[in-house]
Amino acid sequence: MSGPGRLRRIRAGSLTSVLALAAGLLGTASATAPPAAALTPPVGFTADALSTYQTNGIVWALAEAGGVVYAGGTFSGIRPAGSPAGSSTTAAVNFAAFDAATGAPTGCSLSFTRGGGTATVRALAVSPDTSTLYAGGYFNSVNGTAVDGLAAIDTATCRTRTGFTPRFGATVRALDVAADGTVYAGGDFRTVNGTPRNFFGAVTASGVLTGWNPDADEPGRALRVTPDGESVLIGGDFFTVGGAASHALAVTGASTGAVTRAYGASFIPSSAVIKDIVTDAESDGWYAAGEGAGGASFDGRLAMELDGFGQRWRDTCQGATQAVRVHKGVLYAGSHVHDCSSMGGFPNQVRKHLTAQSVDDPALLGWLPDTNDGIGEPVGPRALTVASRSGRDFLWVGGEFTTVNGVGQQSLTRFADTPDTGAPAVPVVSASAPRAGEVRVSWRSSLDLDDSLLTYRVYRDGGSTPVYTTTGSSLFFSRPQLTFTDRDVVAGRTYSYRVTASDGTNTSGPSTAAPVTAASSASPYQEKVLADGADLYWRYDEASGAFAADASESGNGGVYMNTPSYRTAPSAVAGSAALSLNGTDEYVHSDRLHHYTSPSPYSVETWFRTTSTTGGRIIGHGNNIGTARGHTSSISDKLVYLTDDGRLAFGVQSGSTRPTITSAGSYNDGGWHHAVATQGPSGMVLYVDGEAVGTNAATGNRSYNGYWRVGGDAMNNAWPNRPTSDYFAGQVDETAVYPSALTAAQVAGHHALAGTPPGPGGSTVSVAPDEDAYVNGVAANTNYNDSQLASRGTTAYLGYLRFTLPSAPAGQVLRSARLTFRTSSDSTAGSAENHSIVPVTGTWTESAVTYNTRPTLSTSVLGTISGATSVSTDYSVELNASALGGALGSATSLALTSSGTDSLRIWSSEATAAYRPQLVLTFGDE
């Protein structure tokens, strides 16, 4: 192809390539990148759902004309946004019309009915001059006027056009109108006006049958007239068109229906059908939506050329695409996409229902509002259309769904180009002191449903001016780690860091403060691991949250799943903490894909400690990240696992075999053990506690995209000595992956350095409440031991928390202390008033304390909460460390009190783990 259209695509494709390249370099933050701006180009719609009327059934079709959006389907009424099913319903029988800009009905009321069976509207199309709306489906009456499967509606008067009475023998499922007024239809019918027309046919603007006769062998589901009017693109279930083999897709002449371009069984699998087709003159392309059955079928999108009708690109994600529309160079789709691993995207996970792609590139863009599957089949969205009104563009979505972005909304929703009101997610931050004169602040890049490029600002010690600003891109399935190294620090001093994310219009709240005490020297063990080339290094020093920071320079952060126990002791390496896993569902996975091509060398290293007699997978590479059925790895390789009798095994996949080394000795003795597994040109070696315990000559392994997982994943029965448990119960520490095969000397050196202290420095410990409850002066004899705590002066609420405080590490004292908490989702949870934290001097128990039996309190104040005004938001309050220091090594109780009238409500220890209050203690040298 040549000409201006081709040039447009090259330019747009270049922009997409630049964005994709930027996404590939996310491991290092770039201070010179352009600032984020809502929306991230080329996305043209926000992900913020607008207030829109709903139906009480399924919307199968949408069309627009002059700022009015028409919806057809199987429903009997409409109701305002926010109205629950069965309330505030206005009759609307299978059809309704709405103002594109307000989402409210226009007053155009038509009832599509039939004498027998269930009437439905399945297709809508507007004539090029917008004067006529055509509706197809399964009906024989519109407001009492006899029709048969296809009706013409005057858009100015909302009345059926007299004299237009074609007769379709069965359901009409697809419509389009040519510039000359010819109405093309596809569906289940075998006759039109009594004349044979197998699944496709056309009539003039007056309803007279034309000679267009593709003569397919199975139903039609989609069709579109090309912009030049010379061809009609058809899609459906068929395998032949006019006797010629062409499955699911064909190009036909606009006058006779003869096939001008066929697509054989090798193009669209026999198990797939085409559900929608749209053309776009600006990109000189047309786009098709596929729905298939099985992993080898076709569920994604096709981008095709209008000149020659060849394929430009193919999206092979799985998830039954139902509808597509193009707007300003972006292809929007309604589907239930759940697996894009074949394209290097996310593995089989929960369904996503709305996506966007550049017309030049199948890579998913950062636009991801969502619906649920809904009622009916169910598959979520079924129809899309774009409308303009009052200077704004709107994307309308119809279908089977009953929620949008987690909020109840049935069958209809819409999105606009402006304004963008959704703020990015609050970043999750980790801080460490890797060496003298350095503090390293790392965070998981945030998610914003319509902005993939965000600006991050780092604040130190509660300051209002950022000490660092950078930009980074992220998608829901790829949220790379970003890092700032602060070199303006003094050894022994404790610093605190918060990070915000902004899309240029909206800014997240600040992250939970991450404290760290600057070290005077580096950890010898850490320095050796980094010097030997680790490109993934998880030290597990986080106190809470879902983010496992990567201490290497590669930004390979991890995700803690199902809230393992953080900062457990003792650790395997001096100056660090360990992670405890329950052996059932807790694990850590890498936050982005890693590709391995056999026989590239590699090493995996970790410390482990257990007494388990059911074994478990300690570390390995797999092609999925979930725990639910169907969401664990179907491909696994490079595994280090423990057998039921405590022996250590290292195995790979090589063709149909699984070369494996298994140690002679057992290591489930409750002590820390150092495991390193290497594979390179000399084969496989398994080391335990610095010494080789076995070798295997195999140099090959499996090549695929996947994720590193620590703590568990599915294990095929073919693995030798497969353990009873897929998940590891015990502690892990200092996990590293290398792009080389470590030598025996390097392994021994790592093991020898484990007990070497890092020199003077600090440590941080997070402590969750043993008990918590609150009392209420109005219900003075009631015990409130639930998911919230409360504080208020009048009428009184008092909250109580009991903590078991650890002793200070040898040679250290308590340097700082703070209480972290999240306000609850209660509408009154935030408070503009001050709330005090005071020691409890009396006795109480979580299950029995009431207002009438409340304990006595100290008169001293350890800290004051102020400015906790927002609901569902993380806050922290600094406490008097000197006052708490005397309680180290024992249980102590704190109370939340106030003298005001504005209540504060926070989540208690009974809430979701990530929301629970914690006491964060930072220790430093005496």
Side-chain angles (χ1 to χ4, degrees):
M1 177 180 174
S2 61
R6 177 64 174 171
L7 179 60
R8 278 194 298 270
R9 282 209 307 280
I10 291 173
R11 289 171 178 167
S14 298
L15 172 61
T16 304
S17 298
V18 170
L19 290 173
L21 178 61
L25 297 176
L26 291 174
T28 303
S30 171
T32 60
L39 309 164
T40 301
V43 170
F45 295 104
T46 80
D48 306 322
L50 301 177
S51 177
T52 308
Y53 260 65
Q54 315 169 69
T55 79
N56 61 358
I58 299 172
V59 171
W60 293 102
L62 293 170
E64 71 85 28
V68 175
V69 172
Y70 303 97
T74 310
F75 52 86
S76 61
I78 58 174
R79 64 185 189 275
S83 298
S87 66
S88 305
T89 300
T90 301
V93 183
N94 302 319
F95 176 87
F98 304 92
D99 185 306
T102 67
T106 64
C108 176
S109 179
L110 299 170
S111 294
F112 287 73
T113 59
R114 63 175 295 109
T118 302
T120 184
V121 174
R122 290 300 182 104
L124 295 170
V126 176
S127 62
D129 65 3
T130 72
S131 66
T132 306
L133 170 70
Y134 292 93
Y138 185 61
F139 49 81
N140 57 21
S141 175
V142 180
N143 280 10
T145 299
V147 292
D148 200 353
L150 182 64
I153 312 300
D154 186 310
T155 57
T157 63
C158 190
R159 296 177 180 174
T160 55
R161 289 195 181 277
T162 59
F164 184 82
T165 57
R167 304 184 312 281
F168 283 78
T171 304
V172 174
R173 297 183 180 274
L175 291 172
D176 199 16
V177 187
D180 65 1
T182 301
V183 182
Y184 294 88
D188 301 342
F189 53 85
R190 306 298 292 268
T191 63
V192 179
N193 291 351
T195 300
R197 285 292 187 269
N198 289 320
F199 308 114
F200 291 96
V203 297
T204 67
S206 59
V208 176
L209 182 67
T210 76
W212 187 70
N213 183 18
D215 192 26
D217 66 332
E218 294 286 348
R221 295 176 181 265
L223 59 80
R224 193 69 56 178
V225 181
T226 57
D228 61 11
E230 296 179 0
S231 302
V232 180
L233 314 167
I234 63 172
D237 299 16
F238 51 80
F239 289 87
T240 64
V241 180
S246 191
H247 173 52
L249 201 62
V251 182
T252 69
S255 57
T256 66
V259 174
T260 58
R261 175 67 185 264
Y263 301 92
S266 62
F267 192 76
I268 301 291
S270 60
S271 57
V273 301
I274 295 297
K275 299 298 290 288
D276 197 14
I277 296 172
V278 65
T279 61
D280 178 49
E282 181 65 21
S283 62
D284 290 320
W286 56 288
Y287 307 87
E291 176 184 273
S297 193
F298 175 61
D299 261 359
R301 274 77 68 189
L302 287 173
M304 309 289 287
E305 299 278 5
L306 280 171
D307 184 359
F309 303 109
Q311 177 180 300
R312 193 160 73 237
W313 55 256
R314 179 182 293 238
D315 173 327
T316 58
C317 294
Q318 295 181 18
T321 308
Q322 303 297 308
V324 288
R325 283 296 179 273
V326 174
H327 178 67
K328 294 184 178 180
V330 175
L331 177 67
Y332 297 89
S335 70
H336 56 256
V337 60
H338 57 91
D339 187 349
C340 287
S341 56
S342 62
M343 294 174 57
F346 56 94
N348 187 33
Q349 289 294 297
V350 296
R351 294 176 168 188
K352 307 291 183 180
H353 298 86
L354 293 167
T355 59
Q357 299 156 293
S358 165
V359 293
D360 297 286
D361 190 335
L364 292 181
L365 298 172
W367 184 80
L368 212 79
D370 202 12
T371 72
N372 65 352
D373 287 344
I375 60 177
E377 206 171 325
V379 297
R382 288 284 190 175
L384 303 173
T385 197
V386 175
S388 298
R389 188 155 191 154
S390 303
R392 299 167 70 197
D393 294 333
F394 300 88
L395 176 67
W396 279 68
V397 182
E400 298 173 294
F401 51 86
T402 57
T403 67
V404 178
N405 291 343
V407 177
Q409 175 71 20
Q410 186 171 358
S411 72
L412 279 172
T413 191
R414 63 201 175 99
F415 306 91
D417 53 354
T418 58
D420 179 12
T421 60
V426 175
V428 181
V429 180
S430 175
S432 61
R435 51 185 61 89
E438 284 187 13
V439 164
R440 181 182 174 99
V441 183
S442 302
W443 63 96
R444 190 185 189 200
S445 49
S446 294
L447 183 63
D448 188 309
L449 296 182
D450 47 33
D451 299 282
S452 55
L453 181 65
L454 300 174
T455 296
Y456 299 90
R457 296 178 176 87
V458 181
Y459 299 87
R460 188 172 75 174
D461 294 340
S464 58
T465 301
V467 295
Y468 182 69
T469 300
T470 190
T471 57
S473 293
S474 62
L475 298 168
F476 82 93
F477 57 90
S478 179
R479 296 173 62 183
Q481 173 178 312
L482 299 173
T483 300
F484 161 58
T485 300
D486 189 355
R487 294 184 172 88
D488 183 20
V489 296
V490 177
R493 180 177 168 183
T494 298
Y495 298 88
S496 178
Y497 297 86
R498 291 191 172 206
V499 181
T500 63
S502 174
D503 61 16
T505 300
N506 311 286
T507 300
S508 74
S511 67
T512 298
V516 61
T517 300
S520 58
S521 62
S523 160
Y525 182 91
Q526 174 190 260
E527 293 300 284
K528 181 62 174 172
V529 168
L530 295 176
D532 286 341
D535 63 2
L536 181 156
Y537 184 19
W538 297 338
R539 305 205 71 196
Y540 308 119
D541 287 343
E542 288 74 29
S544 61
F547 170 57
D550 179 14
S552 84
E553 296 300 323
S554 299
N556 281 312
V559 180
Y560 292 117
M561 296 296 294
N562 299 317
T563 320
S565 298
Y566 305 95
R567 298 193 64 82
T568 56
S571 62
V573 173
S576 182
L579 184 74
S580 187
L581 302 166
N582 65 3
T584 303
D585 62 357
E586 294 173 353
Y587 62 101
V588 192
H589 70 78
S590 56
D591 211 9
R592 61 183 184 185
L593 281 171
H594 294 79
H595 180 73
Y596 285 89
T597 303
S598 178
S600 299
Y602 64 90
S603 301
V604 294
E605 175 180 40
T606 195
W607 289 77
F608 69 95
R609 176 173 177 259
T610 187
T611 57
S612 172
T613 57
T614 57
R617 176 168 161 164
I618 301 174
I619 182 172
H621 195 250
N623 68 339
N624 213 325
I625 58 177
T627 52
R629 184 177 180 181
H631 297 165
T632 53
S633 294
S634 59
I635 300 173
S636 291
D637 191 29
K638 308 171 184 66
L639 302 189
V640 176
Y641 59 95
L642 203 69
T643 65
D644 286 356
D645 59 3
R647 291 180 295 155
L648 198 66
F650 166 39
V652 299
Q653 287 195 53
S654 181
S656 60
T657 66
R658 285 177 167 79
T660 303
I661 303 166
T662 305
S663 69
S666 296
Y667 302 99
N668 57 345
D669 55 8
W672 278 109
H673 295 285
H674 180 227
V676 179
T678 72
Q679 188 177 27
S682 299
M684 303 164 60
V685 185
L686 175 62
Y687 300 87
V688 181
D689 295 337
E691 296 183 359
V693 298
T695 63
N696 189 300
T699 59
N701 53 69
R702 187 153 184 175
S703 303
Y704 66 101
N705 292 324
Y707 304 83
W708 287 107
R709 291 178 54 138
V710 174
D713 196 1
M715 287 188 67
N716 190 288
N717 287 329
W719 289 104
N721 300 302
R722 183 195 184 282
T724 300
S725 175
D726 290 344
Y727 288 82
F728 173 75
Q731 290 78 48
V732 291
D733 200 4
E734 305 291 328
T735 300
V737 179
Y738 303 79
S740 63
L742 295 178
T743 66
Q746 288 174 314
V747 172
H750 292 195
H751 181 256
L753 286 171
T756 305
S763 60
T764 300
V765 177
S766 292
V767 184
D770 299 320
E771 293 186 89
D772 53 22
Y774 80 95
V775 298
N776 181 353
V778 172
N781 291 312
T782 302
N783 169 251
Y784 291 88
N785 176 22
D786 56 27
S787 62
Q788 294 188 59
L789 302 176
S791 170
R792 185 175 64 193
T794 307
T795 302
Y797 292 148
L798 294 96
Y800 305 101
L801 305 99
R802 178 176 288 112
F803 298 92
T804 299
L805 304 184
S807 299
Q812 295 188 341
V813 296
L814 185 63
R815 293 288 189 185
S816 67
R818 60 192 172 93
L819 180 70
T820 66
F821 61 91
R822 173 174 287 204
T823 51
S824 77
S825 58
D826 190 290
S827 61
T828 64
S831 176
E833 297 179 347
N834 291 342
H835 296 260
S836 299
I837 299 176
V838 301
V840 177
T841 55
T843 60
W844 64 282
T845 62
E846 178 181 71
S847 60
V849 65
T850 67
Y851 186 79
N852 280 343
T853 64
R854 65 191 184 278
T856 55
L857 306 180
S858 170
T859 57
S860 62
V861 176
L862 296 177
T864 302
I865 299 170
S866 60
T869 56
S870 299
V871 303
S872 301
T873 301
D874 291 317
Y875 292 100
S876 69
V877 54
E878 296 296 326
L879 304 181
N880 186 325
S882 297
L884 273 179
L888 292 177
S890 63
T892 189
S893 294
L894 306 178
L896 302 178
T897 71
S898 175
S899 59
T901 58
D902 188 12
S903 63
L904 173 71
R905 290 182 177 272
I906 70 174
W907 293 118
S908 76
S909 60
E910 277 75 30
T912 301
Y915 299 170
R916 296 170 186 168
Q918 293 193 84
L919 197 58
V920 181
L921 309 176
T922 300
F923 299 93
D925 299 321
E926 290 181 329

